[in-house]
Amino acid sequence: NFSRVTEFILLGLSNTRELQVLFFTIFFLAYAMVLLGNLLIIVTVRTDPKLSSPMYFLLCNLSFLDICCTSVTVPRMLVDLLSQRKAIAFENCIAQLFFLHFAGASEMFLLTVMAYDRYAAICKPLHYTAIMNRRVCWVLVCACWAGGFLHSIVQTLLTIQLPFCGPNTINNYFCDVPPVIRLACMDIYVIEWLMVSNSGLICLFCFLLLVTSYMFILVTIRTRFTEGHWKALSTCASHVMVVTLFFVPCIFIYLRPFSTFPFDKHICVIYTVFSPVMNPLIYTLRNNEVKASMWKLWKRY
């Protein structure tokens, strides 16, 4: 009596109509902020020749990845919040899973590269132009995208080969590896450990690299009491806040096999919605050069 599941039912964040309307308003505004803020960063960096340093090149790529990450999950969630039946076809579920991990892993690697760029700029200023030239930046960005694709294709292949013939209800607002593989009609002990070694360890490893780089920056700043280095300290503190907001929920979700909690879907909101909202605010409002370029762009058009 084998029959393959052709669609999944997403339970979403709430079944209460009033809460669904409230969530729709909040997430629609958040998505609009992500699109407008990150598109403004991309246009500003691309049109102002003064913003040609590696830091702004990487920031432009981060903005594009933020748009990709939120566009994979949020539009579908907004539609489901206004729908009675929240069904997603099996193929669309796998596609959402693939593109989410592709963009998400690429962003993790890129945030690590950005931390390395700040480390080189603050700790080795005399060698910075040799360490982070345009060619190196392109190589690092391509490596981030390649790493994200490799990570995502492994996750997708491990998921798609599982037999799905029983329950098809996902207690989340999007298709992700942990809730989907638990619907498989087989023992997933080995699969879950493979998922943890892929997703969970990548999150943890990138986060530890980020923390290590910022520790080196703090040690360097501690011995140099100049105005520029204190400004760098303030900037790094805001960056640490953003990456913590992104990485800690990911580590909690993907480095924890064989268990699930009802509030997991609410934790997912942090790194799929609110973290991309914070990135434009932190990386632009605290940067005088970007704000000046945006003001010039506004006066020009």
Side-chain angles (χ1 to χ4, degrees), residues 171-172 176-183 187-189 191-193 195-196 249-265 267-268:
N171 188 20
N172 211 324
D176 199 5
V177 173
V180 170
I181 65 173
R182 291 189 177 96
L183 300 177
D187 182 12
I188 59 169
Y189 180 86
I191 298 295
E192 284 205 285
W193 275 115
M195 295 294 186
V196 168
C250 290
I251 293 171
F252 178 80
I253 295 295
Y254 297 113
L255 200 61
R256 178 174 49 85
F258 318 119
S259 62
T260 181
F261 300 112
F263 54 82
D264 281 356
K265 58 186 176 183
I267 293 176
C268 293

Side-chain angles (χ1 to χ4, degrees), residues 20-196:
Q20 288 180 344
V21 174
L22 176 63
F23 287 150
F24 178 86
T25 304
I26 294 173
F27 294 130
F28 178 80
L29 293 175
Y31 186 54
M33 289 177 62
V34 171
L35 291 181
L36 294 176
N38 286 292
L39 284 174
L40 182 59
I41 292 174
I42 294 173
V43 173
T44 302
V45 172
R46 297 294 295 174
T47 55
D48 193 340
K50 294 182 179 179
L51 303 180
S52 59
S53 66
M55 180 179 71
Y56 298 113
F57 175 76
L58 297 175
L59 178 60
C60 189
N61 282 272
L62 178 66
S63 296
F64 179 73
L65 283 172
D66 275 337
I67 293 174
C68 293
C69 281
T70 51
S71 297
V72 172
T73 58
V74 176
R76 173 81 202 192
M77 177 176 62
L78 293 176
V79 172
D80 286 342
L81 285 171
L82 300 180
S83 304
Q84 294 295 328
R85 189 170 183 271
K86 304 171 179 60
I88 182 171
F90 179 83
E91 294 79 9
N92 295 340
C93 181
I94 297 299
Q96 187 180 53
L97 183 152
F98 170 80
F99 287 110
L100 175 66
H101 280 266
F102 183 20
S106 300
E107 182 164 345
M108 286 185 184
F109 297 139
L110 185 63
L111 286 170
T112 308
V113 170
M114 292 179 70
Y116 172 73
D117 172 71
R118 291 298 83 208
Y119 162 78
I122 296 172
C123 300
K124 299 183 180 297
L126 298 179
H127 303 282
Y128 178 68
T129 54
I131 295 174
M132 292 296 293
N133 54 51
R134 181 51 67 100
R135 180 176 175 274
V136 172
C137 288
W138 273 108
V139 170
L140 291 174
V141 168
C142 291
C144 292
W145 283 91
F149 177 81
L150 182 62
H151 158 78
S152 184
I153 200 68
V154 170
Q155 297 284 88
T156 305
L157 291 176
L158 286 174
T159 304
I160 204 171
Q161 54 87 30
L162 296 173
F164 296 95
C165 54
N168 66 336
T169 302
I170 298 175
N171 188 20
N172 211 324
Y173 59 91
F174 67 98
C175 287
D176 199 5
V177 173
V180 170
I181 65 173
R182 291 189 177 96
L183 300 177
C185 306
M186 63 172 288
D187 182 12
I188 59 169
Y189 180 86
V190 176
I191 298 295
E192 284 205 285
W193 275 115
L194 290 174
M195 295 294 186
V196 168

Side-chain angles (χ1 to χ4, degrees), residues 208-257:
L208 291 178
L209 283 178
L210 282 161
V211 172
T212 303
S213 67
Y214 285 121
M215 287 178 62
F216 278 111
I217 291 174
L218 289 175
V219 171
T220 302
I221 292 174
R222 184 182 175 185
T223 59
R224 304 175 188 175
F225 297 97
T226 64
E227 182 181 352
H229 283 88
W230 282 116
K231 180 182 177 182
L233 176 61
S234 175
T235 302
C236 288
S238 60
H239 291 186
V240 170
M241 181 181 68
V242 172
V243 300
T244 302
L245 193 67
F246 181 73
F247 277 96
V248 171
C250 290
I251 293 171
F252 178 80
I253 295 295
Y254 297 113
L255 200 61
R256 178 174 49 85

Side-chain angles (χ1 to χ4, degrees), residues 14-24:
S14 174
N15 293 324
T16 306
R17 187 61 184 173
E18 290 76 12
L19 282 178
Q20 288 180 344
V21 174
L22 176 63
F23 287 150
F24 178 86

